Amino acid sequence: MAVCPLTQAFDYECDDAIGGIKQGSILITQLENVDVLTVVAGEVTVLTQVAATNFYTYKVNKEIADVISTENFSEENGTFFVESVMNLMMAKLSKEKNTEFKLLASKPLAIIYQDNQGTYHIMGATEGARKVGGTNQSATGKAFGDLSGYTLGFTSREGHYPYTVDATVVAGLTIV
């Protein structure tokens, strides 16, 4: 039987965290554009892109994007994976967004986001994230205060929680 010993303890945390994804911090590329990915102790320390590819910035407002990661374990089969779902909203319906959002659904994605503590994370790093799950819709809304725009959901299933990403790695990416 494999030995899987625990490696550390955790103390009480300060009550100074805030939830959510930092405004304007979502970066998306197709997974096939990731050339080299090196992970050390749960953190991406190297990420290089295929030449002439980009990460695209999706600038969303504050308090309208989140990621929820759920463990899935089968005692009978001895399997474990984590399903992470990102939901976000983008205002205003447009033909350009219709076209781009269809492209997002066409291939597996790598999605980097920054939480409101300033830490970067990546979902889809090894198996890709897909524009499925969550809610994927466009809507005009009914009342003046309703969203006229899109709600997008991305799902990844991997053998780990979303990795953290070193900020210097993000600084070295080609971002549009």
Side-chain angles (χ1 to χ4, degrees):
M1 175 177 255
V3 177
C4 303
L6 297 176
T7 59
Q8 64 186 34
F10 296 95
D11 204 348
Y12 294 108
E13 298 281 346
C14 295
D15 295 333
D16 60 354
I18 57 174
I21 293 175
K22 187 173 181 178
Q23 185 173 352
S25 74
I26 299 171
L27 307 172
I28 302 176
T29 194
Q30 292 174 330
L31 182 60
E32 65 190 24
N33 295 338
V34 175
D35 188 31
V36 175
L37 180 83
T38 303
V39 179
V40 176
E43 181 174 50
V44 175
T45 57
V46 176
L47 191 159
T48 60
Q49 297 167 246
V50 172
T53 63
N54 299 306
F55 272 84
Y56 292 90
T57 303
Y58 282 68
K59 293 187 177 181
V60 298
N61 291 324
K62 61 184 174 185
E63 297 188 52
I64 62 167
D66 70 348
V67 175
I68 298 172
S69 297
T70 305
E71 292 181 2
N72 294 273
F73 174 73
S74 170
E75 191 168 350
E76 301 81 21
N77 298 322
T79 57
F80 172 90
F81 70 94
V82 176
E83 180 176 85
S84 296
V85 177
M86 171 185 276
N87 287 296
L88 61 93
M89 294 184 293
M90 295 195 74
K92 297 190 179 178
L93 302 172
S94 74
K95 63 184 178 187
E96 294 82 9
K97 289 177 185 168
N98 289 343
T99 301
E100 194 66 19
F101 296 162
K102 184 176 179 184
L103 292 172
L104 282 175
S106 69
K107 292 187 175 183
L109 306 168
I111 303 173
I112 296 175
Y113 57 93
Q114 186 179 31
D115 65 28
N116 278 324
Q117 277 63 250
T119 303
Y120 287 97
H121 307 270
I122 185 169
M123 60 183 283
T126 55
E127 302 297 327
R130 299 301 302 245
K131 193 165 124 340
V132 297
T135 301
N136 284 291
Q137 67 182 20
S138 66
T140 61
K142 291 180 185 177
F144 287 166
D146 290 350
L147 172 69
S148 176
Y150 303 84
T151 303
L152 305 177
F154 301 91
T155 301
S156 68
R157 291 186 178 126
E158 301 179 290
H160 51 82
Y161 281 93
Y163 294 130
T164 61
V165 182
D166 187 284
T168 60
V169 170
V170 175
L173 298 174
T174 304
I175 301 170
V176 175

